[in-house]
Amino acid sequence: MRFTEWGPALTAWIAGMFEGEGNFCVRHDRKRARACPVAQLDSTDQDIIMRLAMALGVKPWGPYRGNGWNIKPLYKVAIAGRGAQELGHRLYPWLGTRRRLQVDKILAVEILPRRRDPITHRFAKSTPQSGGGDNIL
């Protein structure tokens, strides 16, 4: 389901879930020298995570077993890249001040296109070497 197909009730529910248990952050990939926006939410309620994953169009992660006091299994939903930015933009009017600041940070990230190898047509796993030539980012 695309974010634009959500009705106001579903949008408000998802925003409430992210406001209560989720976060928006920027992950830095040092190996590729890139920043990646991420929206993620953890919960011990499997049915809630399944419903949220279906609405976001992603696969849920888990269960994970906590160490120590957390004996309930933990489930996670995450969306990265442009999807995280689109989600943050869609939920922005429904979010509180702290989450809006998080969304502002992920919206400020410029997402560079992935580079394909011209011979194998596979996505490159490393950044182009510095110095010389026709390196394309």
Side-chain angles (χ1 to χ4, degrees):
M1 177 182 284
R2 294 301 306 161
F3 308 143
T4 56
E5 298 172 2
W6 295 346
L10 182 59
T11 303
W13 178 78
I14 293 171
M17 289 299 299
F18 271 94
E19 186 65 39
E21 299 185 39
N23 68 59
F24 296 88
C25 64
V26 178
R27 295 262 167 88
H28 296 280
D29 185 349
R30 292 181 184 157
K31 186 176 181 181
R32 294 187 181 110
R34 291 184 176 195
C36 182
V38 177
Q40 61 187 12
L41 188 142
D42 300 338
S43 178
T44 57
D45 297 322
Q46 183 181 14
D47 59 331
I48 297 298
I49 291 295
M50 295 301 179
R51 181 177 172 201
L52 185 60
M54 187 183 308
L56 295 176
V58 297
K59 184 178 177 183
W61 298 355
Y64 298 107
R65 292 280 177 196
N67 294 330
W69 63 272
N70 185 10
I71 57 173
K72 293 174 88 175
L74 186 67
Y75 299 90
K76 176 184 258 190
V77 143
I79 187 167
R82 283 193 178 87
Q85 289 178 324
E86 290 174 13
L87 178 64
H89 185 264
R90 173 76 174 162
L91 299 180
Y92 198 86
W94 300 87
L95 298 173
T97 306
R98 280 186 33 204
R99 293 293 176 270
R100 283 184 179 194
L101 290 173
Q102 293 175 353
V103 170
D104 289 339
K105 288 179 184 177
I106 70 165
L107 291 176
V109 173
E110 179 184 359
I111 299 178
L112 300 173
R114 292 175 67 185
R115 200 178 73 120
R116 284 191 186 264
D117 183 289
I119 297 168
T120 64
H121 300 289
R122 293 186 178 157
F123 288 111
K125 292 190 177 191
S126 62
T127 58
Q129 299 298 320
S130 62
D134 299 337
N135 293 335
I136 300 171
L137 290 177

